[in-house]
Amino acid sequence: MANENNGFVAFNPQEALAEIDGAADTMAETTEAPRSLMFVLLTIVSTALALVNIVPWAVIFGIACLLIPVGLWHFLLMRKRPKKRAVLNHSGPYIVNALLLLLVTQCSRFWEPGAWWEIVAKWLVIFTLSWIAVSRMRATTIKNRIKDANEHSF
């Protein structure tokens, strides 16, 4: 009878560590820009890169001007979030994905579409490869930030 009313809950260290790990992941995730912002940014950049040398430069400039509200959105969104600690050094996968992103943007200039379906195909290729690279860069940054925080002595 004494065991039923003592009010103690069994402590499970594995559950506590899993909860702490989940909270660390959530905190590191909230310091990064949201995926919706990345999606809008990559959509605008992919559109500009797909249409370069197809439409007049005034149209490309107009599309690029859409980055101003996106930058304002990012500023207003990130000022409410916790300040992120800088990652001291980026890992190899981060650098590889950054180089992939640069390669995609540079190689897109060599592909000059002649028909509308080629423009759509170019946009899909640019957007897909850029999304893969940026998503992996974001995931690697979060992983490095958590690893750095776990190794940081207080």
Side-chain angles (χ1 to χ4, degrees):
M1 191 93 166
N3 289 339
E4 294 175 4
N5 295 327
N6 61 7
F8 291 111
V9 178
F11 178 72
N12 187 349
Q14 290 177 336
E15 289 178 9
L17 286 174
E19 184 179 337
I20 291 169
D21 189 44
D25 288 344
T26 303
M27 182 64 178
E29 185 84 22
T30 60
T31 60
E32 291 295 319
R35 290 190 183 276
S36 57
L37 182 84
M38 290 177 12
F39 179 81
V40 171
L41 180 68
L42 287 178
T43 302
I44 293 170
V45 170
S46 297
T47 303
L49 288 174
L51 293 177
V52 81
N53 295 332
I54 303 294
V55 296
W57 280 101
V59 175
I60 300 295
F61 182 70
I63 292 171
C65 285
L66 292 174
L67 294 174
I68 294 170
V70 173
L72 184 63
W73 175 26
H74 180 261
F75 172 75
L76 294 174
L77 185 70
M78 295 309 284
R79 72 181 184 151
K80 296 177 184 176
R81 292 186 176 209
K83 187 175 181 180
K84 61 182 175 184
R85 218 173 48 173
V87 177
L88 297 178
N89 55 2
H90 290 290
S91 64
Y94 182 91
I95 300 299
V96 167
N97 286 305
L99 291 174
L100 173 65
L101 187 60
L102 288 172
L103 186 67
V104 166
T105 58
Q106 291 301 314
C107 288
S108 71
R109 296 296 308 250
F110 298 127
W111 182 4
E112 299 212 10
W116 65 269
W117 64 270
E118 289 179 351
I119 296 170
V120 172
K122 181 178 178 179
W123 186 89
L124 285 172
V125 168
I126 292 170
F127 181 81
T128 303
L129 292 176
S130 298
W131 181 260
I132 290 169
V134 170
S135 294
R136 287 181 180 174
M137 288 169 63
R138 183 177 190 269
T140 303
T141 300
I142 291 170
K143 186 174 119 181
N144 287 346
R145 185 169 287 123
I146 291 171
K147 181 181 174 191
D148 183 51
N150 287 339
E151 294 174 355
H152 187 356
S153 61
F154 292 99

